[in-house]
Amino acid sequence: MTIREMQDEIVRLKKEKDFCILGHAYQSQDILEVSDFVGDSYGLAKLAKTVPEKNIMMCGVRFMAETVKMLSPEKNVYLANPVAGCPMAEQVDGEFAKALREKYPDYTIVAYINTTSETKRYCDVCVTSSSALKIIKNIQNDKIVFIPDLNLGTWIKNQCPEKHFEIFHGCCPTHMRATEEEAKIMKEKYPDALLLVHPECRPEVVALADYVGSTTGIMKYAEESDAKEFIIGTEGSIVEHLEFSCPDKKFHILSKELYCHNMRSTTLADVYNTLLGNGGEEMVLSSEVMTEAIMPIDEMIRLGG
Ligand code: 13P
Ligand code: SF4
């Protein structure tokens, strides 16, 4: 079967089996072409509540499928590739978040959406890269505990001098691999290019950027900008999508190490097999998780708008 034939079958099967396919912006082009919606973590989480189909397939990583399940408990939610996890989400667990709540009783516990559902049970509000600043500014409390991305937390902290932050202590192994030295070399090599980076990058890299934003924020900025050349400081798939959507512009990846094996592990064949019932994993969460971990997600949507 060719890629095109498989895509045609996927389009036919998803209608027949009443599936909506959500594709995170880091997925490959062939998957995005058969997705009903493409977006960043925040956009997909908000959309999940509104889709009419009975079955939802997440092409992304596990915490995204868990979030969709919590937002749409009455639906069958599938992760297209069960091994697609997010290493950052595994860096803290429920016990760690619970201990922070006990240690900082008068702080608001803010969790990046890149956390497990078990961790979310002990947090007050979730944020994504595109919603974090707005949400944290909207929190009434001026004492914030932020987990688990030190780089995103530091970026927000620098823009909220009115609040006190305690940040613990994880990172995205993919974005951490892009260094300040690489950013300087690339800016020197392509002096006309704008540097667009994800806030999961190191603060030294973020400090050199012309724009800092989520995956779809970066794509939108590049698409709408008058500039013709860009250095992209996020997962390499975004360069491929931008080359496709803006053939008249030039894109360079900030570092050849910007490659997330987890996001890349989902293939078009996984999508096809999930529709056939031969693959994927249905998200099943305990009733405690469903009732407790949804609270910070609902709060994210309330404060994020
Ligand atoms: P977005 O919030 O930009 O979708 O990012 C999710 C992610 O995992 C980035 O590495
Ligand atoms: Fe997780 Fe980083 Fe991969 Fe995003 S790029 S899914 S934060 S490991």
Side-chain angles (χ1 to χ4, degrees), residues 206-221:
V206 166
L208 294 170
D210 297 289
Y211 171 81
V212 185
S214 73
T215 45
T216 47
I218 288 174
M219 290 180 72
K220 192 165 182 289
Y221 185 95

Side-chain angles (χ1 to χ4, degrees), residues 88 91-92 96 100 104 145-151 166-172 176:
M88 171 153 54
Q91 289 164 358
V92 294
F96 183 77
L100 287 175
Y104 297 97
V145 165
F146 187 92
I147 56 172
D149 186 0
L150 190 55
N151 292 346
E166 298 288 344
I167 306 173
F168 301 93
H169 272 324
C171 68
C172 163
M176 280 296 274

Side-chain angles (χ1 to χ4, degrees), residues 24 26 39-42 61 63-64 86 88 112-114 128-130 172 175 198 200 213-216 234 263:
H24 186 268
Y26 286 163
D40 62 11
S41 312
Y42 191 62
V61 289
F63 76 82
M64 296 177 180
C86 167
M88 171 153 54
Y112 194 19
I113 194 104
N114 299 36
T128 67
S129 56
S130 59
C172 163
H175 287 86
H198 198 282
E200 288 174 12
S214 73
T215 45
T216 47
T234 192
M263 278 287 184

Side-chain angles (χ1 to χ4, degrees), residues 150-195:
L150 190 55
N151 292 346
L152 175 64
T154 303
W155 182 63
I156 300 294
K157 176 183 165 180
N158 291 341
Q159 296 171 85
C160 294
E162 71 282 11
K163 292 191 192 277
H164 175 76
F165 283 77
E166 298 288 344
I167 306 173
F168 301 93
H169 272 324
C171 68
C172 163
T174 300
H175 287 86
M176 280 296 274
R177 291 199 287 267
T179 65
E180 179 184 14
E181 198 192 350
E182 281 172 312
K184 285 183 173 159
I185 290 171
M186 290 298 278
K187 276 170 85 93
E188 222 172 273
K189 191 166 171 195
Y190 304 107
D192 296 330
L194 298 181
L195 174 62

Side-chain angles (χ1 to χ4, degrees), residues 6 12 19 29 33 56 72 79 96 119 121 143 149 163 207 211 213 218 233 239 252 285:
M6 194 177 279
R12 191 187 65 76
F19 261 85
Q29 188 66 29
E33 281 167 4
I56 304 179
S72 309
L79 177 63
F96 183 77
T119 300
R121 285 177 69 189
K143 297 195 191 80
D149 186 0
K163 292 191 192 277
Y211 171 81
I218 288 174
V239 170
H252 312 283
L285 301 173

Side-chain angles (χ1 to χ4, degrees), residues 70 92-105 107-111 115-126 145 147 286 288-289 291-297:
M70 285 185 269
V92 294
D93 60 11
E95 285 304 309
F96 183 77
K98 197 168 159 200
L100 287 175
R101 182 173 278 302
E102 280 158 18
K103 188 167 175 204
Y104 297 97
Y107 281 61
T108 297
I109 313 286
V110 179
T115 41
T116 64
S117 50
E118 187 59 25
T119 300
K120 290 183 177 83
R121 285 177 69 189
Y122 303 99
C123 299
D124 297 303
V125 54
C126 289
V145 165
I147 56 172
S286 70
E288 291 85 12
V289 166
T291 49
E292 292 168 14
I294 187 62
M295 287 195 267
I297 297 171

